[in-house]
Amino acid sequence: MKSKWNDLLYGKFKRPKKWMLEKDLSFSSDLTKEDIKKFKDAKVDVKITATGKITVPEGYITDLASVPRACWAFIAPFDVARPAVIHDILYEKINGAFKEGVIATKKDREIYRSIADNIFKQGMQNSNPSVPKWKIVSAYYAVRLFGRFA
């Protein structure tokens, strides 16, 4: 299946540094049936269909992308906003399941984190307007390296 977005990101600025979605944001990912089952078994509370469509609901609060201001000349939050919102909700729910003990170990959490990071990369690869390859690689490796601290 070719990954794709439902639409643009529609949000309202919430001071000081957040945005609230004004419309559901959906991404049809290339998640495998095994990955979808993993998320459901771990009670990662994200709307994921059997075909891998992930939906972030209207009203969700996000910072778009946690890119340090000093890096905005290279990768600004709006460059990768839609994939970052999907990634944010996945990390939020994975971390919640870990804190509740449903995801038992840090090693298990890393498996889920890796899946979320790959969805982030897929989202960037399938964005329109397109994200340059060097930004995809840079942003992906940044979340791989620093995401464990989120």
Side-chain angles (χ1 to χ4, degrees):
M1 172 176 90
K2 177 81 168 130
S3 303
K4 66 178 185 172
W5 292 97
N6 68 322
D7 205 347
L8 298 175
L9 188 149
Y10 294 92
K12 182 177 182 177
F13 184 64
K14 305 285 283 179
R15 294 192 182 278
K17 299 178 188 176
K18 302 288 183 179
W19 292 83
M20 182 177 71
L21 293 188
E22 293 185 313
K23 184 178 175 183
D24 287 357
L25 176 67
S26 295
F27 178 63
S28 295
S29 71
D30 289 337
L31 274 173
T32 65
K33 291 191 183 309
E34 294 79 25
D35 290 341
I36 294 167
K37 184 176 180 341
K38 277 183 192 162
F39 278 100
K40 296 213 182 284
D41 290 348
K43 298 182 179 20
V44 173
D45 186 24
V46 176
K47 185 176 177 187
I48 302 176
T49 66
T51 59
K53 181 179 176 183
I54 303 165
T55 300
V56 181
E58 175 184 339
Y60 182 73
I61 305 291
T62 179
D63 66 354
L64 296 182
S66 304
V67 179
R69 183 74 176 198
C71 298
W72 282 20
F74 305 104
I75 301 175
F78 44 83
D79 288 337
V80 296
R82 288 184 300 172
V85 171
I86 297 288
H87 190 255
D88 280 357
I89 198 167
L90 288 171
Y91 261 41
E92 177 184 310
K93 301 302 183 175
I94 289 165
N95 287 334
F98 179 70
K99 286 177 185 168
E100 292 174 10
V102 181
I103 296 175
T105 67
K106 286 184 179 182
K107 184 177 178 181
D108 290 337
R109 183 175 63 175
E110 282 302 304
I111 293 167
Y112 290 95
R113 198 174 73 77
S114 177
I115 295 167
D117 294 348
N118 285 327
I119 291 168
F120 176 60
K121 183 167 70 172
Q122 278 180 35
M124 290 185 290
Q125 291 168 332
N126 292 283
S127 286
N128 186 6
S130 63
V131 177
K133 187 171 183 166
W134 69 267
K135 285 187 182 186
I136 293 170
V137 170
S138 300
Y140 172 76
Y141 283 106
V143 299
R144 289 302 303 143
L145 184 62
F146 299 110
R148 68 180 47 101
F149 304 112

